[in-house]
Amino acid sequence: MTRPLRVGNASGFYGDRFDAVREMLTGGPLDVLTGDYLAELTMLILGRSRLKDPKRGYATTFLRQLEENLGLAHERGVKIVTNAGGLHPAGLADAVREVAVRTGVPVRVAHVEGDSRPVPDGHLTANAYLGGGGIAACLRAGADIVVTGRVTDAALVAGPAAAHFGWGPGDHDALAGAVVAGHVLECGTQATGGNYAFFRQHDVRRPGFPLAEIHEDGSSVITKHDGTGGVVDVGTVTAQLLYETGGARYAGPDVTARLDTVRLAQDGPDRVRISGVRGEAPPPTLKVGLNRLGGWRNEVVFVLTGLDIEAKSRLVREQFADALDRAGTKPAEVRWELARTDRADASTEETASALLRLVVRDPDAEAVGRAVSGAAVELALGSYPGFHVTAPPGKGAPYGVFEAAYVPAGDVAHVAVLPDGTRQDVPATGPYRELAGVPEPALPEPLPAGPTRTVPLGRVAGARSGDKGGDANVGVWVRTDEAWRWLAHELTVERFKELLPETAGLTVERHVLPGLRSLNFVVRGLLGEGVAAQARFDPQAKAVGEWLRSRSVDVPVQLTDEPEVDA
Protein backbone atom coordinates (compact mmCIF):
# COMPACT_ATOMS: atom_id res chain seq x y z
CA MET A 1 0.00 0.00 0.00
CA THR A 2 1.33 3.46 -0.94
CA ARG A 3 2.07 5.67 2.05
CA PRO A 4 -0.23 8.65 2.73
CA LEU A 5 0.53 11.95 1.02
CA ARG A 6 0.93 14.94 3.31
CA VAL A 7 -0.24 18.11 1.54
CA GLY A 8 -0.20 21.56 3.13
CA ASN A 9 -1.58 24.95 2.19
CA ALA A 10 0.23 28.28 2.58
CA SER A 11 -2.11 30.72 0.84
CA GLY A 12 -5.87 31.09 0.57
CA PHE A 13 -5.86 34.28 -1.52
CA TYR A 14 -3.55 36.83 -3.13
CA GLY A 15 -2.41 38.80 -0.09
CA ASP A 16 -2.55 36.04 2.53
CA ARG A 17 0.02 35.80 5.33
CA PHE A 18 3.44 36.22 3.72
CA ASP A 19 5.31 34.13 6.30
CA ALA A 20 3.01 31.13 5.86
CA VAL A 21 5.33 29.42 3.35
CA ARG A 22 8.19 29.37 5.86
CA GLU A 23 5.85 28.42 8.70
CA MET A 24 4.60 25.40 6.77
CA LEU A 25 8.05 24.31 5.62
CA THR A 26 9.57 24.50 9.10
CA GLY A 27 6.56 23.42 11.18
CA GLY A 28 6.62 19.71 10.40
CA PRO A 29 6.87 17.11 7.65
CA LEU A 30 5.25 17.77 4.26
CA ASP A 31 5.36 16.17 0.84
CA VAL A 32 3.65 18.95 -1.10
CA LEU A 33 2.97 22.59 -0.29
CA THR A 34 0.18 24.29 -2.22
CA GLY A 35 -0.76 27.93 -2.58
CA ASP A 36 -4.07 29.30 -3.86
CA TYR A 37 -3.69 32.88 -5.10
CA LEU A 38 -6.63 33.21 -7.49
CA ALA A 39 -10.20 34.34 -7.06
CA GLU A 40 -12.75 35.84 -9.41
CA LEU A 41 -11.64 39.34 -8.36
CA THR A 42 -7.94 38.43 -8.58
CA MET A 43 -8.23 37.54 -12.25
CA LEU A 44 -9.62 41.01 -12.93
CA ILE A 45 -6.75 42.59 -10.99
CA LEU A 46 -4.21 40.53 -12.93
CA GLY A 47 -5.94 41.43 -16.18
CA ARG A 48 -5.52 45.13 -15.48
CA SER A 49 -1.91 44.50 -14.50
CA ARG A 50 -1.29 42.75 -17.80
CA LEU A 51 -2.66 45.77 -19.68
CA LYS A 52 0.18 47.83 -18.22
CA ASP A 53 2.85 45.18 -18.82
CA PRO A 54 2.17 42.12 -21.03
CA LYS A 55 4.97 40.25 -19.24
CA ARG A 56 3.06 40.34 -15.98
CA GLY A 57 -0.32 38.89 -15.08
CA TYR A 58 0.89 36.59 -12.31
CA ALA A 59 1.03 36.85 -8.50
CA THR A 60 4.36 38.50 -7.77
CA THR A 61 4.07 37.84 -4.03
CA PHE A 62 4.74 34.17 -4.69
CA LEU A 63 8.14 35.00 -6.22
CA ARG A 64 9.18 36.96 -3.14
CA GLN A 65 8.08 34.10 -0.91
CA LEU A 66 10.02 31.67 -3.06
CA GLU A 67 13.21 33.73 -2.95
CA GLU A 68 13.21 33.37 0.83
CA ASN A 69 12.21 29.70 0.96
CA LEU A 70 13.28 27.88 -2.20
CA GLY A 71 16.40 26.45 -0.56
CA LEU A 72 14.41 25.33 2.46
CA ALA A 73 11.84 23.51 0.31
CA HIS A 74 14.63 21.80 -1.65
CA GLU A 75 16.44 20.68 1.49
CA ARG A 76 13.25 19.18 2.91
CA GLY A 77 12.16 17.54 -0.33
CA VAL A 78 8.88 19.43 -0.46
CA LYS A 79 7.29 19.95 -3.86
CA ILE A 80 5.43 23.20 -4.46
CA VAL A 81 2.21 23.46 -6.49
CA THR A 82 0.54 26.84 -7.00
CA ASN A 83 -1.92 28.63 -9.26
CA ALA A 84 0.02 31.89 -8.81
CA GLY A 85 0.70 31.82 -12.57
CA GLY A 86 -2.65 33.53 -13.05
CA LEU A 87 -2.84 34.80 -16.63
CA HIS A 88 0.79 34.03 -17.47
CA PRO A 89 1.96 30.72 -15.98
CA ALA A 90 4.81 30.39 -18.48
CA GLY A 91 6.08 33.80 -17.43
CA LEU A 92 5.99 32.89 -13.75
CA ALA A 93 7.73 29.56 -14.48
CA ASP A 94 10.55 31.46 -16.20
CA ALA A 95 10.77 33.86 -13.27
CA VAL A 96 10.99 30.89 -10.86
CA ARG A 97 13.89 29.48 -12.88
CA GLU A 98 15.63 32.85 -12.59
CA VAL A 99 15.17 32.73 -8.81
CA ALA A 100 16.61 29.20 -8.78
CA VAL A 101 19.70 30.30 -10.73
CA ARG A 102 20.16 33.38 -8.58
CA THR A 103 19.90 31.40 -5.34
CA GLY A 104 21.84 28.40 -6.58
CA VAL A 105 19.06 25.93 -5.82
CA PRO A 106 18.72 23.14 -8.42
CA VAL A 107 14.99 22.70 -8.93
CA ARG A 108 12.97 21.40 -11.84
CA VAL A 109 10.15 23.73 -12.85
CA ALA A 110 7.07 22.86 -14.90
CA HIS A 111 3.87 24.66 -15.68
CA VAL A 112 0.33 24.01 -16.87
CA GLU A 113 -1.37 26.03 -19.57
CA GLY A 114 -4.40 25.86 -21.82
CA ASP A 115 -6.89 27.60 -19.55
CA SER A 116 -6.64 30.82 -21.55
CA ARG A 117 -9.61 31.18 -23.90
CA PRO A 118 -10.39 33.65 -26.69
CA VAL A 119 -11.30 36.91 -24.98
CA PRO A 120 -14.67 38.26 -26.15
CA ASP A 121 -14.87 41.89 -27.21
CA GLY A 122 -15.08 44.21 -24.25
CA HIS A 123 -13.57 41.71 -21.81
CA LEU A 124 -10.19 41.59 -20.08
CA THR A 125 -9.86 37.88 -19.31
CA ALA A 126 -11.38 34.53 -20.25
CA ASN A 127 -10.08 31.42 -18.52
CA ALA A 128 -11.39 27.88 -18.25
CA TYR A 129 -11.20 26.08 -14.92
CA LEU A 130 -8.86 23.13 -15.50
CA GLY A 131 -8.56 20.04 -13.32
CA GLY A 132 -5.55 18.38 -11.77
CA GLY A 133 -4.44 16.27 -14.72
CA GLY A 134 -1.77 18.68 -15.89
CA ILE A 135 -0.38 19.04 -12.39
CA ALA A 136 -0.20 15.25 -12.05
CA ALA A 137 1.65 14.95 -15.37
CA CYS A 138 4.22 17.55 -14.31
CA LEU A 139 4.86 15.81 -10.98
CA ARG A 140 5.13 12.40 -12.61
CA ALA A 141 7.82 13.88 -14.88
CA GLY A 142 9.87 14.89 -11.84
CA ALA A 143 8.90 18.54 -11.33
CA ASP A 144 9.80 20.11 -8.00
CA ILE A 145 7.66 23.20 -8.64
CA VAL A 146 4.48 23.28 -10.70
CA VAL A 147 2.94 26.62 -11.69
CA THR A 148 -0.58 26.79 -13.11
CA GLY A 149 -3.01 29.37 -14.33
CA ARG A 150 -6.73 29.02 -13.70
CA VAL A 151 -7.32 25.57 -12.29
CA THR A 152 -9.99 24.73 -9.76
CA ASP A 153 -8.81 25.40 -6.23
CA ALA A 154 -9.22 21.75 -5.28
CA ALA A 155 -7.07 20.65 -8.25
CA LEU A 156 -4.00 21.87 -6.36
CA VAL A 157 -4.53 18.90 -4.02
CA ALA A 158 -6.23 16.41 -6.34
CA GLY A 159 -3.44 16.66 -8.91
CA PRO A 160 -0.61 15.75 -6.52
CA ALA A 161 -2.72 12.96 -4.99
CA ALA A 162 -3.42 11.46 -8.43
CA ALA A 163 0.30 11.54 -9.25
CA HIS A 164 1.29 10.00 -5.92
CA PHE A 165 -1.23 7.17 -5.91
CA GLY A 166 -1.40 6.55 -9.65
CA TRP A 167 -5.11 7.28 -9.91
CA GLY A 168 -6.67 7.44 -13.34
CA PRO A 169 -9.69 9.38 -14.62
CA GLY A 170 -12.03 6.54 -13.66
CA ASP A 171 -11.03 6.46 -9.98
CA HIS A 172 -14.00 8.63 -9.12
CA ASP A 173 -14.32 7.86 -5.42
CA ALA A 174 -10.63 8.41 -4.68
CA LEU A 175 -10.53 11.60 -6.76
CA ALA A 176 -13.67 12.88 -5.06
CA GLY A 177 -12.11 12.33 -1.65
CA ALA A 178 -9.06 14.35 -2.71
CA VAL A 179 -11.26 17.09 -4.16
CA VAL A 180 -13.12 17.36 -0.85
CA ALA A 181 -9.80 17.56 1.03
CA GLY A 182 -8.64 20.20 -1.45
CA HIS A 183 -11.78 22.22 -0.91
CA VAL A 184 -11.15 22.17 2.84
CA LEU A 185 -7.54 23.33 2.38
CA GLU A 186 -8.04 25.91 -0.35
CA CYS A 187 -8.97 28.84 1.90
CA GLY A 188 -6.07 28.38 4.30
CA THR A 189 -6.87 29.20 7.89
CA GLN A 190 -10.63 29.08 7.38
CA ALA A 191 -10.16 25.37 8.11
CA THR A 192 -8.26 25.98 11.35
CA GLY A 193 -10.53 28.42 13.16
CA GLY A 194 -10.34 31.52 10.99
CA ASN A 195 -13.66 33.25 10.26
CA TYR A 196 -15.31 30.61 12.44
CA ALA A 197 -18.77 31.08 13.94
CA PHE A 198 -17.78 29.66 17.36
CA PHE A 199 -14.42 31.46 17.52
CA ARG A 200 -14.88 32.43 21.17
CA GLN A 201 -14.46 28.80 22.22
CA HIS A 202 -10.88 28.65 20.87
CA ASP A 203 -7.68 30.68 20.66
CA VAL A 204 -7.76 31.76 17.02
CA ARG A 205 -5.58 34.87 17.28
CA ARG A 206 -3.05 33.39 14.83
CA PRO A 207 -4.36 30.13 13.39
CA GLY A 208 -1.90 27.80 11.74
CA PHE A 209 -2.37 26.77 8.12
CA PRO A 210 -4.03 23.42 7.40
CA LEU A 211 -2.71 20.23 5.89
CA ALA A 212 -4.27 16.96 4.75
CA GLU A 213 -2.96 13.43 5.13
CA ILE A 214 -4.45 11.80 2.03
CA HIS A 215 -4.75 8.02 1.80
CA GLU A 216 -4.80 5.74 -1.22
CA ASP A 217 -8.58 5.28 -1.10
CA GLY A 218 -9.11 9.07 -1.14
CA SER A 219 -9.95 9.37 2.55
CA SER A 220 -8.01 11.99 4.48
CA VAL A 221 -7.28 13.53 7.82
CA ILE A 222 -7.36 17.32 8.08
CA THR A 223 -4.89 18.64 10.63
CA LYS A 224 -2.19 21.27 11.18
CA HIS A 225 1.38 21.36 12.37
CA ASP A 226 1.86 20.74 16.08
CA GLY A 227 2.24 23.89 18.14
CA THR A 228 0.48 26.20 15.71
CA GLY A 229 -2.55 28.26 16.69
CA GLY A 230 -6.19 27.77 15.94
CA VAL A 231 -8.15 24.53 15.98
CA VAL A 232 -9.19 21.73 13.65
CA ASP A 233 -12.45 20.09 14.67
CA VAL A 234 -15.57 18.80 12.98
CA GLY A 235 -17.09 22.27 13.14
CA THR A 236 -14.23 24.09 11.40
CA VAL A 237 -14.11 21.45 8.67
CA THR A 238 -17.89 21.49 8.23
CA ALA A 239 -17.84 25.26 7.89
CA GLN A 240 -15.25 25.14 5.14
CA LEU A 241 -16.98 22.28 3.33
CA LEU A 242 -20.07 24.48 3.03
CA TYR A 243 -18.15 27.53 1.84
CA GLU A 244 -19.01 28.59 -1.71
CA THR A 245 -20.82 25.35 -2.53
CA GLY A 246 -24.35 24.61 -3.66
CA GLY A 247 -26.12 21.27 -3.83
CA ALA A 248 -25.05 17.76 -3.06
CA ARG A 249 -23.18 17.42 -6.35
CA TYR A 250 -19.93 19.43 -6.21
CA ALA A 251 -18.84 19.41 -9.85
CA GLY A 252 -15.30 19.81 -11.13
CA PRO A 253 -13.27 18.98 -14.23
CA ASP A 254 -11.87 15.75 -12.72
CA VAL A 255 -14.88 14.39 -10.88
CA THR A 256 -18.20 15.33 -9.34
CA ALA A 257 -17.94 14.83 -5.59
CA ARG A 258 -21.09 13.91 -3.68
CA LEU A 259 -21.14 16.14 -0.63
CA ASP A 260 -24.09 14.15 0.70
CA THR A 261 -21.76 11.17 1.19
CA VAL A 262 -19.09 12.97 3.22
CA ARG A 263 -18.60 11.70 6.76
CA LEU A 264 -16.57 13.59 9.36
CA ALA A 265 -15.19 12.26 12.63
CA GLN A 266 -12.86 13.68 15.23
CA ASP A 267 -9.68 11.61 15.04
CA GLY A 268 -7.84 13.14 17.99
CA PRO A 269 -6.84 16.68 18.95
CA ASP A 270 -6.77 18.89 15.84
CA ARG A 271 -7.47 15.93 13.57
CA VAL A 272 -10.66 15.35 11.57
CA ARG A 273 -11.09 12.30 9.38
CA ILE A 274 -12.98 12.64 6.09
CA SER A 275 -14.32 9.36 4.72
CA GLY A 276 -17.07 7.84 2.63
CA VAL A 277 -16.85 10.34 -0.21
CA ARG A 278 -18.38 9.04 -3.41
CA GLY A 279 -17.55 10.38 -6.83
CA GLU A 280 -19.24 10.48 -10.20
CA ALA A 281 -18.05 11.24 -13.71
CA PRO A 282 -17.53 14.98 -14.26
CA PRO A 283 -19.91 17.09 -16.35
CA PRO A 284 -19.18 17.45 -20.08
CA THR A 285 -18.48 21.18 -19.87
CA LEU A 286 -15.87 23.35 -18.19
CA LYS A 287 -16.66 26.62 -16.50
CA VAL A 288 -15.04 29.69 -18.05
CA GLY A 289 -14.58 32.82 -15.95
CA LEU A 290 -15.02 36.06 -17.91
CA ASN A 291 -13.99 39.43 -16.51
CA ARG A 292 -14.74 42.83 -17.99
CA LEU A 293 -14.80 46.42 -16.87
CA GLY A 294 -18.42 47.25 -16.18
CA GLY A 295 -18.09 51.01 -15.89
CA TRP A 296 -17.21 53.52 -13.22
CA ARG A 297 -18.35 53.95 -9.63
CA ASN A 298 -17.97 56.51 -6.88
CA GLU A 299 -18.91 56.48 -3.23
CA VAL A 300 -19.54 59.07 -0.53
CA VAL A 301 -20.35 58.26 3.10
CA PHE A 302 -22.10 61.04 5.02
CA VAL A 303 -21.96 61.02 8.82
CA LEU A 304 -25.23 61.90 10.58
CA THR A 305 -24.89 62.55 14.31
CA GLY A 306 -27.31 62.87 17.19
CA LEU A 307 -30.97 63.78 16.74
CA ASP A 308 -33.25 63.65 13.68
CA ILE A 309 -31.23 61.04 11.79
CA GLU A 310 -34.01 60.17 9.34
CA ALA A 311 -34.76 63.85 8.64
CA LYS A 312 -31.07 64.57 8.05
CA SER A 313 -30.91 61.67 5.64
CA ARG A 314 -33.93 62.97 3.69
CA LEU A 315 -32.42 66.45 3.50
CA VAL A 316 -29.07 65.39 2.06
CA ARG A 317 -30.72 63.06 -0.47
CA GLU A 318 -32.99 65.87 -1.69
CA GLN A 319 -30.11 68.34 -1.86
CA PHE A 320 -27.93 65.90 -3.74
CA ALA A 321 -30.66 65.08 -6.27
CA ASP A 322 -31.24 68.82 -6.83
CA ALA A 323 -27.49 69.40 -7.36
CA LEU A 324 -27.33 66.67 -9.99
CA ASP A 325 -30.40 68.04 -11.75
CA ARG A 326 -28.82 71.50 -11.88
CA ALA A 327 -25.60 70.03 -13.23
CA GLY A 328 -27.58 68.19 -15.90
CA THR A 329 -25.82 64.94 -15.03
CA LYS A 330 -27.25 61.92 -13.29
CA PRO A 331 -25.42 58.60 -13.00
CA ALA A 332 -27.20 55.56 -14.40
CA GLU A 333 -27.43 54.04 -10.93
CA VAL A 334 -27.79 55.96 -7.66
CA ARG A 335 -28.09 53.96 -4.44
CA TRP A 336 -28.49 55.23 -0.88
CA GLU A 337 -28.17 53.11 2.25
CA LEU A 338 -28.68 54.40 5.78
CA ALA A 339 -26.87 52.33 8.42
CA ARG A 340 -28.26 53.14 11.85
CA THR A 341 -25.07 52.67 13.81
CA ASP A 342 -26.14 55.45 16.18
CA ARG A 343 -27.24 54.99 19.77
CA ALA A 344 -29.48 57.22 21.85
CA ASP A 345 -27.82 59.29 24.56
CA ALA A 346 -24.40 58.00 23.42
CA SER A 347 -21.29 58.59 25.48
CA THR A 348 -19.04 59.14 22.44
CA GLU A 349 -19.62 61.08 19.24
CA GLU A 350 -18.88 58.05 17.08
CA THR A 351 -21.52 55.90 18.77
CA ALA A 352 -24.00 58.78 18.37
CA SER A 353 -23.53 58.71 14.58
CA ALA A 354 -25.18 56.92 11.68
CA LEU A 355 -23.69 56.44 8.20
CA LEU A 356 -25.48 57.38 5.00
CA ARG A 357 -23.76 55.69 2.08
CA LEU A 358 -24.15 56.89 -1.48
CA VAL A 359 -22.94 54.68 -4.35
CA VAL A 360 -23.19 55.77 -7.97
CA ARG A 361 -22.33 53.79 -11.09
CA ASP A 362 -22.28 54.65 -14.78
CA PRO A 363 -20.56 53.54 -18.00
CA ASP A 364 -19.12 57.07 -18.31
CA ALA A 365 -16.37 58.14 -15.91
CA GLU A 366 -17.49 61.77 -16.08
CA ALA A 367 -20.96 60.91 -14.81
CA VAL A 368 -19.59 59.64 -11.49
CA GLY A 369 -16.61 61.97 -11.23
CA ARG A 370 -16.65 65.72 -10.73
CA ALA A 371 -20.44 65.94 -10.90
CA VAL A 372 -20.78 63.67 -7.89
CA SER A 373 -17.79 64.75 -5.82
CA GLY A 374 -18.57 68.41 -6.48
CA ALA A 375 -22.18 68.01 -5.42
CA ALA A 376 -21.08 66.37 -2.17
CA VAL A 377 -18.42 68.96 -1.36
CA GLU A 378 -20.66 71.93 -2.13
CA LEU A 379 -23.11 70.78 0.54
CA ALA A 380 -20.49 71.22 3.26
CA LEU A 381 -21.79 74.52 4.68
CA GLY A 382 -25.42 74.35 3.60
CA SER A 383 -26.87 71.02 4.66
CA TYR A 384 -27.77 69.22 7.88
CA PRO A 385 -26.23 70.23 11.22
CA GLY A 386 -22.93 68.48 11.90
CA PHE A 387 -22.30 67.78 8.20
CA HIS A 388 -19.16 65.80 7.43
CA VAL A 389 -18.10 62.81 5.37
CA THR A 390 -15.76 59.92 6.20
CA ALA A 391 -13.30 60.81 3.42
CA PRO A 392 -12.98 63.47 0.72
CA PRO A 393 -15.00 62.45 -2.34
CA GLY A 394 -12.83 61.18 -5.19
CA LYS A 395 -13.10 61.17 -8.94
CA GLY A 396 -14.42 57.63 -9.18
CA ALA A 397 -12.84 54.33 -10.10
CA PRO A 398 -13.53 51.54 -12.58
CA TYR A 399 -15.43 48.47 -11.43
CA GLY A 400 -15.44 44.98 -12.88
CA VAL A 401 -18.01 42.35 -13.73
CA PHE A 402 -17.51 38.59 -13.49
CA GLU A 403 -19.54 36.27 -15.68
CA ALA A 404 -19.49 32.51 -16.08
CA ALA A 405 -19.76 30.67 -19.38
CA TYR A 406 -19.37 26.99 -20.25
CA VAL A 407 -17.55 25.22 -23.06
CA PRO A 408 -17.28 21.53 -23.99
CA ALA A 409 -14.43 19.98 -22.04
CA GLY A 410 -12.96 18.51 -25.22
CA ASP A 411 -12.59 22.00 -26.72
CA VAL A 412 -10.03 23.08 -24.10
CA ALA A 413 -6.37 22.27 -24.82
CA HIS A 414 -5.06 21.29 -21.39
CA VAL A 415 -1.24 21.12 -21.66
CA ALA A 416 1.48 20.14 -19.18
CA VAL A 417 4.82 21.76 -20.00
CA LEU A 418 7.28 19.37 -18.35
CA PRO A 419 10.60 20.32 -16.73
CA ASP A 420 12.54 19.48 -19.92
CA GLY A 421 10.22 21.66 -22.01
CA THR A 422 8.24 18.80 -23.51
CA ARG A 423 4.62 19.73 -24.12
CA GLN A 424 2.27 16.93 -23.08
CA ASP A 425 -1.42 17.10 -23.95
CA VAL A 426 -3.70 16.19 -21.07
CA PRO A 427 -6.73 14.37 -22.50
CA ALA A 428 -10.24 15.25 -21.42
CA THR A 429 -11.54 12.97 -18.70
CA GLY A 430 -14.66 11.56 -20.37
CA PRO A 431 -16.98 9.74 -20.30
CA TYR A 432 -19.08 12.42 -18.68
CA ARG A 433 -22.27 12.68 -16.70
CA GLU A 434 -24.68 15.57 -17.02
CA LEU A 435 -25.26 17.40 -13.77
CA ALA A 436 -28.63 16.94 -12.16
CA GLY A 437 -30.08 17.58 -8.77
CA VAL A 438 -30.52 14.84 -6.23
CA PRO A 439 -33.82 13.93 -4.59
CA GLU A 440 -34.19 15.71 -1.28
CA PRO A 441 -33.27 13.29 1.48
CA ALA A 442 -35.72 12.34 4.16
CA LEU A 443 -35.78 14.80 7.03
CA PRO A 444 -35.31 13.60 10.61
CA GLU A 445 -38.25 13.28 12.93
CA PRO A 446 -39.07 16.73 14.32
CA LEU A 447 -38.63 17.36 18.00
CA PRO A 448 -41.82 16.99 20.02
CA ALA A 449 -43.63 20.20 20.80
CA GLY A 450 -42.52 21.91 23.98
CA PRO A 451 -41.46 25.19 25.56
CA THR A 452 -39.24 27.48 23.52
CA ARG A 453 -37.00 30.45 24.18
CA THR A 454 -36.44 33.36 21.82
CA VAL A 455 -32.70 33.60 21.17
CA PRO A 456 -30.40 34.40 18.25
CA LEU A 457 -30.11 31.50 15.81
CA GLY A 458 -26.35 31.60 16.37
CA ARG A 459 -26.82 30.30 19.91
CA VAL A 460 -27.61 26.95 18.29
CA ALA A 461 -26.21 27.02 14.76
CA GLY A 462 -23.02 27.97 12.97
CA ALA A 463 -22.92 29.50 9.51
CA ARG A 464 -20.50 30.45 6.77
CA SER A 465 -21.34 32.41 3.65
CA GLY A 466 -19.57 33.39 0.46
CA ASP A 467 -19.92 34.34 -3.19
CA LYS A 468 -20.01 32.75 -6.61
CA GLY A 469 -20.38 35.49 -9.19
CA GLY A 470 -23.59 37.33 -8.42
CA ASP A 471 -24.94 34.56 -6.18
CA ALA A 472 -24.35 34.02 -2.47
CA ASN A 473 -24.42 30.83 -0.48
CA VAL A 474 -25.15 30.49 3.21
CA GLY A 475 -24.27 27.18 4.84
CA VAL A 476 -25.88 26.55 8.23
CA TRP A 477 -24.98 23.64 10.49
CA VAL A 478 -25.58 22.35 14.01
CA ARG A 479 -23.46 20.15 16.24
CA THR A 480 -25.91 17.60 17.64
CA ASP A 481 -28.53 15.24 16.24
CA GLU A 482 -31.17 16.80 18.45
CA ALA A 483 -30.43 20.28 17.10
CA TRP A 484 -30.54 18.88 13.55
CA ARG A 485 -34.06 17.54 14.17
CA TRP A 486 -35.08 21.12 14.94
CA LEU A 487 -33.08 23.00 12.28
CA ALA A 488 -34.12 20.80 9.36
CA HIS A 489 -37.79 21.69 9.94
CA GLU A 490 -37.40 25.25 11.23
CA LEU A 491 -35.17 26.85 8.59
CA THR A 492 -37.21 26.48 5.43
CA VAL A 493 -36.74 28.74 2.41
CA GLU A 494 -39.72 30.80 3.56
CA ARG A 495 -38.29 31.20 7.06
CA PHE A 496 -34.87 32.06 5.63
CA LYS A 497 -36.42 34.88 3.59
CA GLU A 498 -38.31 36.15 6.64
CA LEU A 499 -35.11 36.30 8.65
CA LEU A 500 -33.14 37.96 5.82
CA PRO A 501 -35.59 40.39 4.19
CA GLU A 502 -33.02 41.44 1.56
CA THR A 503 -33.50 37.99 0.00
CA ALA A 504 -37.31 38.11 -0.07
CA GLY A 505 -37.63 38.97 -3.75
CA LEU A 506 -34.87 36.65 -4.92
CA THR A 507 -34.71 32.98 -5.82
CA VAL A 508 -33.44 30.96 -2.86
CA GLU A 509 -32.60 27.25 -3.08
CA ARG A 510 -32.25 24.98 -0.05
CA HIS A 511 -30.00 21.91 -0.14
CA VAL A 512 -30.15 19.37 2.68
CA LEU A 513 -26.96 17.56 3.76
CA PRO A 514 -27.93 15.30 6.68
CA GLY A 515 -24.47 13.73 7.01
CA LEU A 516 -23.11 17.15 7.88
CA ARG A 517 -26.23 18.21 9.84
CA SER A 518 -26.29 21.10 7.41
CA LEU A 519 -28.52 23.19 5.20
CA ASN A 520 -26.99 25.10 2.31
CA PHE A 521 -28.90 28.05 0.88
CA VAL A 522 -28.05 29.55 -2.50
CA VAL A 523 -29.37 33.08 -3.03
CA ARG A 524 -29.49 33.94 -6.72
CA GLY A 525 -28.54 37.51 -7.66
CA LEU A 526 -27.94 38.89 -4.17
CA LEU A 527 -24.54 40.27 -5.24
CA GLY A 528 -25.64 41.82 -8.52
CA GLU A 529 -22.79 41.51 -11.02
CA GLY A 530 -20.35 40.06 -8.50
CA VAL A 531 -17.69 41.20 -6.08
CA ALA A 532 -15.80 43.45 -8.50
CA ALA A 533 -18.97 45.46 -9.12
CA GLN A 534 -19.29 46.16 -5.36
CA ALA A 535 -23.05 46.37 -5.60
CA ARG A 536 -23.59 45.64 -1.91
CA PHE A 537 -22.20 46.80 1.39
CA ASP A 538 -20.80 43.27 1.77
CA PRO A 539 -19.89 42.50 -1.89
CA GLN A 540 -18.62 38.96 -1.24
CA ALA A 541 -21.44 37.96 1.14
CA LYS A 542 -18.84 37.17 3.78
CA ALA A 543 -21.08 38.20 6.66
CA VAL A 544 -24.52 37.16 5.46
CA GLY A 545 -24.21 34.02 7.58
CA GLU A 546 -23.43 36.09 10.66
CA TRP A 547 -26.39 38.33 9.94
CA LEU A 548 -28.57 35.20 9.83
CA ARG A 549 -27.10 33.94 13.11
CA SER A 550 -27.94 37.24 14.80
CA ARG A 551 -31.66 36.95 14.00
CA SER A 552 -34.00 35.87 16.77
CA VAL A 553 -35.88 32.59 16.52
CA ASP A 554 -37.90 30.45 18.89
CA VAL A 555 -35.67 27.55 19.93
CA PRO A 556 -36.66 24.57 22.07
CA VAL A 557 -35.34 25.24 25.54
CA GLN A 558 -33.38 21.99 25.65
CA LEU A 559 -31.20 23.24 22.77
CA THR A 560 -30.26 26.54 24.38
CA ASP A 561 -27.41 26.86 26.79
CA GLU A 562 -25.97 29.68 28.83
CA PRO A 563 -24.94 32.72 26.80
CA GLU A 564 -21.28 32.93 25.90
CA VAL A 565 -19.38 35.46 27.98
CA ASP A 566 -17.03 37.90 26.31
CA ALA A 567 -13.39 37.27 27.17
Side-chain angles (χ1 to χ4, degrees), residues 348-534:
T348 67
E349 181 180 344
E350 187 168 357
T351 55
S353 300
L355 300 177
L356 177 63
R357 182 171 176 253
L358 165 68
V359 176
V360 295
R361 303 200 300 173
D362 197 278
D364 182 5
E366 292 296 321
V368 303
R370 173 61 187 165
V372 171
S373 60
V377 169
E378 290 168 7
L379 292 178
L381 301 181
S383 188
Y384 60 86
F387 179 98
H388 65 286
V389 294
T390 57
K395 61 181 180 179
Y399 71 87
V401 174
F402 174 87
E403 299 161 324
Y406 293 86
V407 298
D411 291 356
V412 176
H414 189 172
V415 178
V417 183
L418 307 182
D420 63 0
T422 300
R423 299 178 63 83
Q424 179 177 322
D425 292 336
V426 179
T429 57
Y432 303 105
R433 176 173 178 164
E434 292 282 356
L435 272 183
V438 301
E440 180 164 320
L443 297 181
E445 284 293 319
L447 290 178
T452 62
R453 182 179 299 155
T454 302
V455 298
L457 175 63
R459 286 276 301 280
V460 178
R464 178 164 287 164
S465 54
D467 66 313
K468 279 296 181 186
D471 301 334
N473 95 286
V474 186
V476 185
W477 80 95
V478 289
R479 295 175 287 183
T480 67
D481 290 338
E482 191 177 28
W484 173 238
R485 292 174 62 188
W486 170 78
L487 181 73
H489 295 276
E490 167 67 17
L491 199 55
T492 62
V493 168
E494 293 72 22
R495 188 73 174 108
F496 181 92
K497 289 184 172 185
E498 289 173 3
L499 294 172
L500 302 185
E502 288 182 35
T503 71
L506 302 173
T507 298
V508 176
E509 303 162 5
R510 185 178 98 148
H511 302 281
V512 181
L513 299 171
L516 300 176
R517 301 192 195 97
S518 302
L519 302 172
N520 200 15
F521 294 88
V522 178
V523 186
R524 301 294 182 189
L526 180 66
L527 306 179
E529 295 175 304
V531 55
Q534 300 183 54

Side-chain angles (χ1 to χ4, degrees), residues 188-254:
T189 54
Q190 279 197 170
T192 57
N195 300 353
Y196 183 48
F198 302 109
F199 71 99
R200 290 165 60 188
Q201 298 174 4
H202 309 282
D203 182 356
V204 295
R205 288 173 292 181
R206 187 180 173 85
F209 277 71
L211 60 93
E213 299 168 356
I214 302 175
H215 294 262
E216 192 167 8
D217 63 354
S219 65
S220 63
V221 172
I222 306 299
T223 184
K224 62 187 183 68
H225 285 322
D226 291 342
T228 57
V231 62
V232 178
D233 65 15
V234 170
T236 65
V237 174
T238 299
Q240 181 55 29
L241 277 175
L242 296 173
Y243 183 64
E244 295 181 344
T245 59
R249 285 191 164 103
Y250 183 62
D254 298 310

